[in-house]
Amino acid sequence: MEPPECPVCLQSYDGECTLPRVLSCGHTACEECLTNIPKKFPDTIRCPACTVLVKFPPQGPSALPKNIDLLRLFPSSSNLTPESTRNSKKSSFEFVTRSWSDDFYATWKDRVLLLDAVSVEGEGSDFASSSSRLCGCLKGDDDSKVSLLRVASFQRDGCDSVFEFSYVLRMISCLWGMEEGERDELDMIMCVQQRGVSKVFGLWGDLKNGVLYLVGEKLTDFSWEEFDNNLTEDDASCLAVMGMQLCEALVSLHKEGVSAGCLSFSCVKFDEFGNAFVDLIELLETGRNVNGLIISEETSSCGKPVGALEMGLILNILVKNGFFMSFEVLFELLKKQNLLITQASSKCLVSYSSDVWPVCFLLLVLLGGKRFPEELIESVSGVDSKECERKIEDLLVLYTGVREKLYSTLESKLSGKFKSMFEILRQCCCLDPQARPVLTDLWKCSRELVMNHRFSSMFALEKKKPGKRKEFCLVLGELCRLVVVGSKEVEEDLPEEGESDKDFVGRLSEGKIKSKDLRGHQDSVTGLAVGDGFLFSSSLDKNIHIWSLKDFSHVHTFKGHQDKVMALIYIKGTESVCVSGDGGGGIFVWSTSFPLEEQPLRKWYEPKDWRYSGIHALAYSGDGYVYSGSGDNTIKAWSLQDGKLVCTMTGHKSVVSTLVVLNGVLYSGSWDGTVRLWSLSDHSFLTVLGEETQGIVRSILSLAADGGTLVAAYQNGDIQIWRDDTSMKSMQIQSSAILSVALNDKWLFTGGWDKTVNVQELSGDEISLECTHVGSIPGSSVVTSLLYWEGKLFAGFADKTIKVYYSGR
């Protein structure tokens, strides 16, 4: 058998170098380890075995007694260090079942804008609820103008549901319900932070209409109607600068793995300095408009599959509406819609070079003036009719006609100083994507027209480097298939009026909160406890009701109190009992064994004077002592067996309102705003948490503890959270007093004067702690008591009712 060893350093005791010292809790550690253990509070130390705070002599561990038995004997089963109750595993019940992971939540939570961060123009109108894109204002110092693009839908406000998810979690739930492809595209778009590309601020949810919007920067629109056929040299220089900036913006998008695939004049915006930007929101809207035109009634009349005649009609419609895209992008788009004939001769793949064609198109329209689109439509129509008469089904012949028209425009418009630009734009019109110049070449040519050649070597546009990042084309993406035609939604994922999102309801049903009312009390409910298959409830009506946990039916009533019952606990043991305390100082012990009796097993009363306001809190330590927190500012320890007063603990300056036992320490909360810690072994004072602040009254009304976590609820709506007696978090979660708090593993429940049960989720590690508002359960009255047990939340209200909330299908 191995010799006994220190539980900290694992060195065997030898009586010289490793000397065993006994703590007041009964556990042993070596003298050196006890010297080095951090001491958060004066004259106290946390036992390394059971984690209980115990008294520690000022002289150090040498003043503690040696464990002579360990030096003489081999350890037996009775000498083994008991496992810390804090680390013991217990079953965990999910109050709100969620499908997404913590990593998913961490990725998206900071991208959701606050509910009041955005104001929508025309809010409340029919247009605001049906339009795919809206305008609004981002509230702040400068109230920036923003564009809002609809990306998803969720369940509207006003639905018949007991539990209401918080705003942020409703948005997270909505994002989780999106298709993975849509979500990946949204993630890439929101990661774009490049020069020349408009900013994306985040996501915002319209709770009234149930719509999730992508919010982006709104810049000045471009008015291309100002260009005419009389293009001067200065205009051409301005055009070259615009071409440079467009190339820079699109190359920036390529660095993020995003290609546009399609451009229109609405995609080009300007800031206050006249710099051209590519608007991401408009790019997505343009992609949706293109998809909408292709599946619209106007083009659907052309029939399926699409041949040369039908392609000519589609090209005419796109040009007429100012949408420019390369032939390979259009072909791919038609393939996705199952509209393209299999004999089509296009075998080119969509790539970053596909963005060169629409840039060239846009610049040529500016060069050609207002009449250019009309002439282009005429050339497309002429080629279409001619080739259809010859029964030629090769769709590329249409783009050949378009290219010839572009060549003629280049020859007539670009001469003299801009002759060098003619060749690069002519190459951009090539049908073969591999033969086209890249955007950096077009940028370099445009730059040389407006910058002295001596300085041109000083600047270079970084090319997109190949990598492992996923790439996608916006106009071909899933987000651009969320099309709105008029006011009718044609995307399957968006529900029609009166029809809820099936995926969302399916996910919600996994964690849908149901409720059941328990009625019987004649006054406000003051306390709740669970044990032996029963729910015990106390009330100001001086009675204690007993309810079955199987069907929540009323089983029995304990009667006998002459004053309002203010505290209630259940004690499991050889003789399980329920203990209650009233405003007159009476402590009653009730048997919970069948047959249930109306009279208590025993009772006793606290001594009181004219200042006394009764018993406000009860707790049990497991060693045979019942602790009461009283209106005389003291905590008293009573023998459960005979009701004898064992000890009175003083120190609080006001009413002791709440008591909890955790890891061998009694925690007492008071109206004086402090939490005091008391040793259960000798009832001595250990330390205080939360010192009083002069001039500020912040009374503690409720405490809850679980594992190593302690939560205090205050009169002003604040909560404070400690882990292992170290303050981790302090925040306001309600605007008024929190009367009750319950804690189970990661779930924190609070209720009070705001008539709402708020649900928080705790997460984090030993260094940091996050408290996330998950949702709320609105009530009809003040919440006076809370209890969480095995996936069920019990809430007592001032209107005499008890509600049971639980997750179920």
Side-chain angles (χ1 to χ4, degrees), residues 119-186:
S119 61
V120 180
E121 295 178 3
E123 192 170 2
S125 64
D126 293 337
F127 174 77
S129 62
S130 62
S131 177
S132 172
R133 186 170 64 88
L134 301 173
C135 296
C137 182
L138 188 64
K139 297 179 183 178
D141 295 335
D142 53 357
D143 288 346
S144 305
K145 295 290 185 180
V146 293
S147 295
L148 295 88
L149 183 74
R150 183 175 194 161
V151 293
S153 64
F154 54 88
Q155 199 170 38
R156 299 181 178 93
D157 264 348
C159 60
D160 185 17
S161 177
V162 174
F163 181 77
E164 296 179 358
F165 272 108
S166 68
Y167 163 73
V168 173
L169 287 195
R170 288 180 71 176
M171 302 307 105
I172 297 294
S173 179
C174 178
L175 288 165
W176 181 257
M178 296 174 66
E179 295 293 334
E180 185 176 358
E182 298 172 4
R183 201 166 52 237
D184 290 344
E185 292 175 14
L186 194 58

Coordinates of all heavy atoms in Angstrom, one line a residue, residues 119-186:
S119 N -33.8 53.2 -37.7 CA -35.1 53.7 -38.0 C -35.4 53.6 -39.5 O -34.5 54.0 -40.3 CB -35.3 55.1 -37.5 OG -34.4 56.0 -38.1
V120 N -36.5 53.1 -39.9 CA -36.8 52.8 -41.3 C -37.7 53.9 -41.8 O -38.7 54.4 -41.1 CB -37.6 51.5 -41.4 CG1 -37.9 51.2 -42.9 CG2 -36.7 50.3 -40.9
E121 N -37.4 54.4 -43.0 CA -38.2 55.5 -43.6 C -39.5 54.8 -44.1 O -39.6 53.7 -44.7 CB -37.5 56.1 -44.8 CG -36.3 56.8 -44.5 CD -35.5 57.4 -45.7 OE1 -36.1 57.2 -46.8 OE2 -34.5 58.0 -45.5
G122 N -40.6 55.5 -43.8 CA -42.0 54.9 -44.1 C -42.3 53.7 -43.3 O -43.1 52.9 -43.7
E123 N -41.8 53.7 -42.1 CA -42.1 52.5 -41.2 C -43.6 52.4 -40.8 O -44.2 53.4 -40.6 CB -41.3 52.7 -39.9 CG -41.3 51.5 -39.0 CD -40.3 51.6 -37.9 OE1 -39.7 52.6 -37.7 OE2 -40.2 50.6 -37.1
G124 N -44.1 51.2 -40.9 CA -45.5 51.0 -40.7 C -46.4 51.0 -41.9 O -47.5 50.5 -41.9
S125 N -45.8 51.4 -43.1 CA -46.6 51.3 -44.3 C -46.6 50.0 -44.9 O -45.7 49.1 -44.6 CB -46.0 52.3 -45.3 OG -44.6 52.0 -45.7
D126 N -47.5 49.7 -45.9 CA -47.5 48.4 -46.5 C -46.2 48.2 -47.3 O -45.7 47.1 -47.4 CB -48.7 48.4 -47.5 CG -50.0 48.4 -46.7 OD1 -50.0 48.0 -45.5 OD2 -51.1 48.7 -47.3
F127 N -45.7 49.3 -47.9 CA -44.4 49.2 -48.7 C -43.3 48.7 -47.8 O -42.5 47.8 -48.2 CB -44.1 50.5 -49.3 CG -42.8 50.5 -50.0 CD1 -42.6 50.0 -51.3 CD2 -41.6 51.1 -49.4 CE1 -41.4 50.0 -51.9 CE2 -40.4 51.1 -50.1 CZ -40.3 50.5 -51.3
A128 N -43.2 49.2 -46.6 CA -42.1 48.8 -45.7 C -42.2 47.3 -45.3 O -41.2 46.7 -45.1 CB -42.2 49.6 -44.4
S129 N -43.4 46.7 -45.3 CA -43.5 45.3 -44.9 C -43.3 44.4 -46.1 O -43.1 43.2 -45.9 CB -44.9 45.1 -44.3 OG -45.9 45.4 -45.2
S130 N -43.5 44.9 -47.3 CA -43.4 44.0 -48.5 C -42.2 44.2 -49.3 O -41.8 43.3 -50.1 CB -44.7 44.3 -49.4 OG -44.7 45.6 -49.9
S131 N -41.5 45.3 -49.2 CA -40.4 45.6 -50.1 C -39.1 44.8 -49.7 O -38.9 44.5 -48.5 CB -40.0 47.1 -50.1 OG -38.9 47.4 -50.9
S132 N -38.3 44.4 -50.7 CA -37.1 43.7 -50.4 C -36.0 44.6 -49.9 O -35.2 44.2 -49.1 CB -36.6 43.0 -51.7 OG -35.3 42.4 -51.6
R133 N -36.0 45.9 -50.3 CA -35.0 46.8 -49.9 C -35.6 48.1 -49.4 O -36.6 48.6 -50.0 CB -34.0 47.1 -51.1 CG -32.9 48.0 -50.7 CD -31.8 48.0 -51.8 NE -32.4 48.7 -53.0 CZ -32.3 50.0 -53.2 NH1 -31.8 50.8 -52.3 NH2 -32.9 50.5 -54.3
L134 N -35.1 48.6 -48.3 CA -35.7 49.8 -47.7 C -34.5 50.8 -47.4 O -33.3 50.4 -47.5 CB -36.4 49.5 -46.4 CG -37.5 48.5 -46.4 CD1 -38.0 48.2 -45.0 CD2 -38.7 49.1 -47.2
C135 N -34.9 52.0 -47.1 CA -33.9 53.0 -46.7 C -34.2 53.4 -45.2 O -35.3 53.3 -44.8 CB -34.0 54.3 -47.6 SG -33.5 54.0 -49.3
G136 N -33.2 53.8 -44.5 CA -33.4 54.2 -43.1 C -32.2 55.0 -42.6 O -31.4 55.5 -43.4
C137 N -32.1 55.0 -41.3 CA -31.1 55.8 -40.6 C -30.5 55.0 -39.5 O -31.2 54.4 -38.7 CB -31.8 57.1 -40.1 SG -30.6 58.2 -39.3
L138 N -29.2 55.0 -39.4 CA -28.5 54.3 -38.3 C -28.3 55.3 -37.2 O -27.5 56.3 -37.4 CB -27.2 53.8 -38.8 CG -26.4 52.9 -37.8 CD1 -27.2 51.6 -37.5 CD2 -25.0 52.6 -38.4
K139 N -29.0 55.1 -36.1 CA -29.0 56.1 -35.0 C -27.6 56.2 -34.4 O -26.9 55.2 -34.1 CB -30.0 55.8 -34.0 CG -31.4 55.8 -34.5 CD -32.4 55.4 -33.4 CE -33.9 55.4 -34.0 NZ -34.9 55.0 -33.0
G140 N -27.1 57.4 -34.2 CA -25.8 57.6 -33.6 C -25.5 59.1 -33.6 O -26.4 60.0 -33.6
D141 N -24.2 59.4 -33.6 CA -23.8 60.8 -33.5 C -24.1 61.6 -34.8 O -24.5 62.7 -34.8 CB -22.3 60.9 -33.3 CG -21.9 60.3 -31.9 OD1 -22.8 60.3 -31.0 OD2 -20.7 59.9 -31.7
D142 N -24.0 60.9 -35.9 CA -24.3 61.6 -37.2 C -25.5 61.0 -37.9 O -25.8 61.5 -39.0 CB -23.1 61.4 -38.1 CG -22.6 60.0 -38.3 OD1 -23.2 59.1 -37.7 OD2 -21.7 59.7 -39.1
D143 N -26.2 60.0 -37.4 CA -27.4 59.5 -38.0 C -27.2 59.2 -39.4 O -27.8 59.7 -40.3 CB -28.6 60.5 -37.8 CG -29.1 60.6 -36.4 OD1 -28.7 59.7 -35.6 OD2 -29.8 61.5 -36.1
S144 N -26.3 58.2 -39.7 CA -25.9 57.9 -41.1 C -27.1 57.3 -41.8 O -27.9 56.5 -41.3 CB -24.7 56.9 -41.0 OG -23.7 57.4 -40.3
K145 N -27.2 57.6 -43.1 CA -28.2 57.0 -44.0 C -27.8 55.6 -44.3 O -26.6 55.3 -44.6 CB -28.4 57.8 -45.3 CG -28.9 59.2 -45.1 CD -30.4 59.2 -44.6 CE -31.0 60.6 -44.5 NZ -32.4 60.5 -44.1
V146 N -28.7 54.7 -44.3 CA -28.4 53.3 -44.6 C -29.4 52.7 -45.5 O -30.5 53.2 -45.7 CB -28.4 52.4 -43.3 CG1 -27.2 52.8 -42.4 CG2 -29.7 52.5 -42.5
S147 N -29.0 51.6 -46.2 CA -29.9 50.8 -47.0 C -30.1 49.5 -46.3 O -29.2 48.9 -45.7 CB -29.3 50.5 -48.4 OG -29.1 51.7 -49.1
L148 N -31.3 48.9 -46.4 CA -31.7 47.7 -45.8 C -32.2 46.7 -46.8 O -33.1 47.0 -47.6 CB -32.8 47.9 -44.7 CG -32.4 48.7 -43.5 CD1 -32.7 50.2 -43.8 CD2 -33.2 48.3 -42.3
L149 N -31.5 45.5 -46.8 CA -31.9 44.5 -47.8 C -32.4 43.3 -47.0 O -31.8 42.7 -46.1 CB -30.7 44.1 -48.6 CG -31.0 43.1 -49.7 CD1 -31.7 43.7 -50.9 CD2 -29.7 42.4 -50.2
R150 N -33.6 42.8 -47.4 CA -34.2 41.7 -46.8 C -33.4 40.4 -47.1 O -33.1 40.1 -48.2 CB -35.6 41.5 -47.3 CG -36.4 40.4 -46.7 CD -37.9 40.5 -47.2 NE -38.7 39.7 -46.3 CZ -40.0 39.8 -46.3 NH1 -40.6 40.7 -47.1 NH2 -40.8 39.0 -45.5
V151 N -33.1 39.6 -46.0 CA -32.3 38.4 -46.2 C -33.0 37.2 -45.7 O -32.7 36.1 -46.0 CB -30.9 38.5 -45.6 CG1 -30.1 39.5 -46.4 CG2 -30.9 38.9 -44.2
A152 N -34.0 37.4 -44.8 CA -34.6 36.2 -44.2 C -35.9 36.7 -43.5 O -36.1 37.9 -43.3 CB -33.7 35.5 -43.2
S153 N -36.7 35.7 -43.0 CA -37.9 36.1 -42.3 C -38.0 35.2 -41.0 O -37.4 34.1 -40.9 CB -39.2 35.9 -43.1 OG -39.3 34.5 -43.5
F154 N -38.7 35.7 -40.0 CA -38.9 34.9 -38.8 C -40.3 35.2 -38.3 O -41.1 36.0 -38.8 CB -37.8 35.3 -37.8 CG -37.8 36.8 -37.5 CD1 -38.5 37.4 -36.5 CD2 -36.9 37.6 -38.2 CE1 -38.5 38.7 -36.3 CE2 -36.8 39.0 -38.0 CZ -37.6 39.5 -37.0
Q155 N -40.6 34.5 -37.2 CA -42.0 34.7 -36.6 C -42.2 36.1 -36.1 O -41.4 36.6 -35.3 CB -42.2 33.6 -35.5 CG -43.6 33.4 -35.2 CD -43.8 32.2 -34.2 OE1 -42.9 32.0 -33.3 NE2 -44.8 31.4 -34.4
R156 N -43.3 36.7 -36.5 CA -43.6 38.0 -36.1 C -43.9 38.2 -34.6 O -44.2 37.2 -33.9 CB -44.8 38.6 -36.9 CG -44.6 38.7 -38.4 CD -45.8 39.3 -39.0 NE -45.6 39.4 -40.5 CZ -46.0 38.5 -41.3 NH1 -46.6 37.3 -40.9 NH2 -45.8 38.6 -42.6
D157 N -43.9 39.4 -34.1 CA -44.3 39.7 -32.8 C -45.8 39.4 -32.7 O -46.6 39.5 -33.7 CB -44.1 41.2 -32.4 CG -42.8 41.3 -31.7 OD1 -42.2 40.3 -31.2 OD2 -42.3 42.5 -31.5
G158 N -46.3 39.1 -31.5 CA -47.7 38.9 -31.3 C -48.2 37.5 -31.4 O -49.4 37.2 -31.4
C159 N -47.2 36.6 -31.6 CA -47.6 35.2 -31.8 C -48.0 34.6 -30.4 O -47.6 35.1 -29.4 CB -46.5 34.3 -32.4 SG -45.0 34.4 -31.4
D160 N -48.8 33.6 -30.4 CA -49.4 33.0 -29.2 C -48.3 32.1 -28.6 O -48.3 30.9 -28.8 CB -50.7 32.3 -29.5 CG -51.3 31.8 -28.2 OD1 -50.9 32.3 -27.1 OD2 -52.2 30.9 -28.3
S161 N -47.4 32.6 -27.8 CA -46.3 31.8 -27.2 C -46.1 32.3 -25.8 O -46.1 33.5 -25.5 CB -45.1 32.0 -28.1 OG -44.0 31.3 -27.5
V162 N -45.9 31.3 -24.9 CA -45.6 31.7 -23.5 C -44.3 32.3 -23.3 O -44.1 33.3 -22.7 CB -45.7 30.4 -22.6 CG1 -45.3 30.7 -21.2 CG2 -47.2 29.8 -22.7
F163 N -43.3 31.7 -24.0 CA -41.9 32.2 -23.8 C -41.5 33.0 -25.0 O -41.8 32.7 -26.2 CB -40.9 31.0 -23.8 CG -39.5 31.3 -23.6 CD1 -39.0 31.7 -22.4 CD2 -38.6 31.3 -24.7 CE1 -37.7 32.1 -22.3 CE2 -37.3 31.6 -24.6 CZ -36.8 32.0 -23.3
E164 N -40.9 34.2 -24.8 CA -40.5 35.1 -25.8 C -39.0 35.1 -25.8 O -38.3 35.6 -24.8 CB -41.0 36.5 -25.6 CG -42.6 36.6 -25.6 CD -43.1 38.0 -25.4 OE1 -42.2 38.9 -25.1 OE2 -44.3 38.2 -25.4
F165 N -38.4 34.7 -26.9 CA -36.9 34.8 -27.1 C -36.5 36.2 -27.0 O -37.2 37.1 -27.5 CB -36.5 34.1 -28.4 CG -36.2 32.7 -28.3 CD1 -37.1 31.8 -28.9 CD2 -35.1 32.2 -27.6 CE1 -36.8 30.4 -28.8 CE2 -34.8 30.8 -27.6 CZ -35.7 30.0 -28.1
S166 N -35.3 36.5 -26.6 CA -34.8 37.8 -26.6 C -34.5 38.2 -28.1 O -34.5 37.4 -29.0 CB -33.4 37.9 -25.9 OG -32.4 37.2 -26.5
Y167 N -34.4 39.5 -28.3 CA -34.3 40.0 -29.7 C -33.1 39.4 -30.4 O -33.1 38.9 -31.5 CB -34.1 41.5 -29.7 CG -33.6 42.1 -30.9 CD1 -34.4 42.2 -32.1 CD2 -32.3 42.6 -31.0 CE1 -33.8 42.8 -33.2 CE2 -31.8 43.2 -32.1 CZ -32.5 43.3 -33.3 OH -32.0 43.8 -34.4
V168 N -31.9 39.3 -29.7 CA -30.7 38.8 -30.3 C -30.9 37.3 -30.6 O -30.5 36.9 -31.7 CB -29.5 39.0 -29.4 CG1 -28.3 38.3 -29.9 CG2 -29.2 40.5 -29.2
L169 N -31.4 36.6 -29.7 CA -31.6 35.1 -29.9 C -32.6 34.8 -31.0 O -32.5 33.8 -31.7 CB -31.9 34.4 -28.6 CG -30.8 34.3 -27.6 CD1 -31.1 33.2 -26.6 CD2 -29.5 33.9 -28.3
R170 N -33.6 35.7 -31.2 CA -34.5 35.5 -32.3 C -33.8 35.7 -33.6 O -34.1 35.0 -34.6 CB -35.7 36.5 -32.2 CG -36.7 36.2 -31.0 CD -37.8 37.2 -30.9 NE -38.7 37.1 -32.0 CZ -39.8 37.8 -32.1 NH1 -40.1 38.6 -31.2 NH2 -40.6 37.6 -33.1
M171 N -32.9 36.6 -33.6 CA -32.1 36.8 -34.9 C -31.1 35.6 -35.1 O -31.0 35.2 -36.2 CB -31.3 38.1 -34.8 CG -32.1 39.4 -34.6 SD -33.5 39.6 -35.8 CE -34.9 39.1 -34.8
I172 N -30.5 35.1 -34.0 CA -29.7 34.0 -34.1 C -30.5 32.8 -34.6 O -30.0 32.0 -35.5 CB -29.0 33.7 -32.8 CG1 -28.1 34.8 -32.3 CG2 -28.2 32.4 -32.8 CD1 -26.9 35.1 -33.2
S173 N -31.6 32.6 -34.1 CA -32.5 31.5 -34.5 C -32.9 31.6 -36.0 O -32.9 30.6 -36.7 CB -33.8 31.4 -33.6 OG -34.6 30.4 -34.0
C174 N -33.1 32.8 -36.4 CA -33.5 33.1 -37.8 C -32.3 32.7 -38.7 O -32.4 32.1 -39.7 CB -33.9 34.5 -38.0 SG -34.2 35.0 -39.7
L175 N -31.1 33.1 -38.3 CA -29.9 32.8 -39.1 C -29.6 31.3 -39.1 O -29.2 30.8 -40.1 CB -28.7 33.5 -38.4 CG -28.6 35.0 -38.6 CD1 -27.6 35.7 -37.7 CD2 -28.2 35.4 -40.1
W176 N -29.9 30.6 -38.0 CA -29.6 29.2 -38.0 C -30.6 28.5 -38.9 O -30.3 27.4 -39.5 CB -29.8 28.7 -36.5 CG -29.6 27.2 -36.4 CD1 -30.6 26.2 -36.2 CD2 -28.4 26.5 -36.4 NE1 -30.0 25.0 -36.1 CE2 -28.6 25.1 -36.2 CE3 -27.0 26.9 -36.5 CZ2 -27.6 24.2 -36.2 CZ3 -26.0 26.0 -36.4 CH2 -26.3 24.6 -36.3
G177 N -31.8 29.1 -39.1 CA -32.8 28.4 -40.0 C -32.5 28.7 -41.4 O -33.2 28.1 -42.3
M178 N -31.6 29.5 -41.8 CA -31.3 29.8 -43.2 C -30.5 28.6 -43.8 O -29.9 27.8 -43.0 CB -30.4 31.0 -43.3 CG -31.1 32.3 -42.9 SD -30.0 33.8 -42.9 CE -29.7 33.9 -44.7
E179 N -30.6 28.5 -45.1 CA -29.8 27.4 -45.7 C -28.3 27.7 -45.5 O -27.9 28.9 -45.4 CB -30.1 27.4 -47.2 CG -31.5 27.0 -47.6 CD -31.8 25.6 -47.2 OE1 -30.9 24.8 -47.2 OE2 -33.0 25.2 -47.0
E180 N -27.5 26.7 -45.5 CA -26.1 26.8 -45.2 C -25.4 27.7 -46.3 O -24.6 28.5 -45.9 CB -25.4 25.5 -45.1 CG -24.0 25.6 -44.7 CD -23.3 24.2 -44.5 OE1 -24.0 23.2 -44.7 OE2 -22.1 24.1 -44.2
G181 N -25.8 27.5 -47.5 CA -25.3 28.3 -48.6 C -25.6 29.8 -48.4 O -24.7 30.7 -48.6
E182 N -26.8 30.1 -48.1 CA -27.2 31.5 -47.8 C -26.4 32.1 -46.7 O -25.9 33.3 -46.7 CB -28.7 31.6 -47.5 CG -29.6 31.2 -48.6 CD -31.0 31.1 -48.1 OE1 -31.3 31.4 -47.0 OE2 -31.9 30.6 -48.9
R183 N -26.2 31.3 -45.6 CA -25.5 31.8 -44.4 C -24.0 32.0 -44.7 O -23.4 33.0 -44.3 CB -25.7 30.9 -43.3 CG -25.5 31.4 -41.9 CD -26.0 30.6 -40.8 NE -25.5 29.2 -40.9 CZ -26.3 28.1 -41.0 NH1 -27.6 28.3 -41.0 NH2 -25.8 26.9 -41.1
D184 N -23.4 31.1 -45.5 CA -22.0 31.3 -45.9 C -21.8 32.5 -46.7 O -20.8 33.2 -46.5 CB -21.6 30.0 -46.7 CG -21.4 28.8 -45.8 OD1 -21.4 29.0 -44.5 OD2 -21.4 27.7 -46.3
E185 N -22.7 32.8 -47.7 CA -22.6 34.0 -48.5 C -22.7 35.2 -47.6 O -22.0 36.2 -47.8 CB -23.7 34.0 -49.6 CG -23.5 32.9 -50.6 CD -24.6 32.9 -51.6 OE1 -25.4 33.8 -51.6 OE2 -24.7 31.9 -52.4
L186 N -23.7 35.2 -46.7 CA -23.9 36.3 -45.8 C -22.7 36.6 -45.0 O -22.2 37.7 -44.7 CB -25.1 36.1 -44.9 CG -25.7 37.3 -44.1 CD1 -26.1 38.4 -45.1 CD2 -26.9 36.8 -43.3

